[in-house]
Amino acid sequence: NKDIAHERIMKIAELTAKAANEKNSPEIVMICMGDLLESAMPDGMHPGHGFEMDLFQDEQILYAFDSLAKMLSYVIENTNVPITYCSINGNHDRIGIKRDEDKNRTAGKLVSAFLQRIFVNEKRVTFQLPANNLLTLIKGNICVFAHHGDSSLMKRTTVELINLFGSGPNYFNVILSGHWHKTKIEDGTNFTGLTIPSVTSADGYTQNELGYNTLPGFIMASEAECGYGFDYKKITLY
């Protein structure tokens, strides 16, 4: 439901700005983990997908852009610190007729590119939109590597991903993935691996085919106060 989706997106904006102000955070980092759309393909991602949607094709692209633009505007207007906005794209962010078309995930890239263009004169906002949908970001003592979670990288262990994409022993590595509509946590002495929840509620396909029925939400996190580590929590969205 598009209205519920936007309400949840704005709740993320509200809680992010509130937490940043209460903690006197020196900066805000926002990472969209992909699947900005439900599906822009005419027949959807799976049989019967269209029955679960209320926006189609170009309508979804434009609505996603408008919703995320309002989210980012709210955070800008209600904080006074630098903001880094990052976005990668998922399997739902494709344009085409069949699932195997558009490996570039063009619809998601269009949404992010539109955002970057309208905020181009906003000096406090920096965009990081990796062309290959693999994000590496270093902030303080944290090294974040984010991938959507549907590629061959999902077969790699967290330690393997750190060896491939992480940083050396002076950094605490955070490995992020999405895709699976569930929350999963793996903690180590020098890393945290997080599969993040979806902002959307579980639909019929997620429950019946994937076997998940997780409450929607997002992850809010910060560098540990001791200077080495990653403190995080799931915020449930209703």
Side-chain angles (χ1 to χ4, degrees), residues 131-185:
N132 63 354
N133 289 315
L134 302 177
L135 172 71
T136 299
L137 182 70
I138 294 179
K139 292 288 184 180
N141 292 323
I142 301 287
C143 175
V144 175
F145 172 70
H147 65 111
H148 180 63
D150 67 313
S151 70
S152 59
L153 290 180
M154 62 181 269
K155 299 177 182 178
R156 300 278 190 172
T157 66
T158 301
V159 173
E160 287 176 327
L161 291 174
I162 291 171
N163 289 335
L164 287 169
F165 301 104
S167 290
N170 294 328
Y171 291 96
F172 189 90
N173 289 280
V174 177
I175 308 297
L176 300 178
S177 64
H179 184 60
W180 293 105
H181 295 251
K182 67 175 182 178
T183 307
K184 183 179 178 182
I185 301 166

Side-chain angles (χ1 to χ4, degrees), residues 12 27-36 68 71-72 82-90 93 108-109 111-113 115-116 119 124-131 133-139 143-147 176 196:
I12 292 174
E27 65 177 323
I28 295 169
V29 177
M30 307 184 77
I31 303 177
C32 293
M33 290 295 298
D35 290 348
L36 302 181
L68 291 173
M71 175 191 75
L72 190 51
I83 299 167
T84 299
Y85 182 92
C86 311
S87 186
I88 58 178
N89 301 290
D93 295 324
K109 289 190 174 183
V111 172
S112 298
L115 282 176
Q116 186 175 28
F119 290 105
R124 285 198 289 123
V125 181
T126 300
F127 282 80
Q128 191 160 336
L129 310 173
N133 289 315
L134 302 177
L135 172 71
T136 299
L137 182 70
I138 294 179
K139 292 288 184 180
C143 175
V144 175
F145 172 70
H147 65 111
L176 300 178
I196 68 167

Side-chain angles (χ1 to χ4, degrees), residues 159 162 169 171-173 186-193 226 228-230:
V159 173
I162 291 171
Y171 291 96
F172 189 90
N173 289 280
E186 182 183 1
D187 268 331
T189 56
N190 65 341
F191 73 87
T192 293
C226 65
Y228 190 82
F230 190 66

Side-chain angles (χ1 to χ4, degrees), residues 13-28:
E14 176 188 333
L15 294 175
T16 297
K18 180 181 178 182
N21 291 329
E22 289 178 348
K23 294 182 177 182
N24 293 317
S25 301
E27 65 177 323
I28 295 169

Side-chain angles (χ1 to χ4, degrees), residues 57-82:
Q57 296 178 281
D58 57 311
E59 294 177 325
Q60 280 201 25
I61 296 172
L62 294 172
Y63 193 87
F65 163 69
D66 288 340
S67 182
L68 291 173
K70 290 174 182 176
M71 175 191 75
L72 190 51
S73 292
Y74 182 95
V75 177
I76 293 169
E77 292 168 4
N78 289 278
T79 61
N80 57 10
V81 296

Side-chain angles (χ1 to χ4, degrees), residues 38-39 41-56 60 92 99 203-206 208-209:
E38 181 63 27
S39 178
M41 294 186 291
D43 297 326
M45 285 287 295
H46 52 76
H49 203 171
F51 294 111
E52 298 176 324
M53 296 188 288
D54 56 359
L55 291 173
F56 301 92
Q60 280 201 25
H92 285 249
R99 291 177 54 138
D203 58 11
Y205 182 83
T206 304
N208 300 326
E209 300 298 326

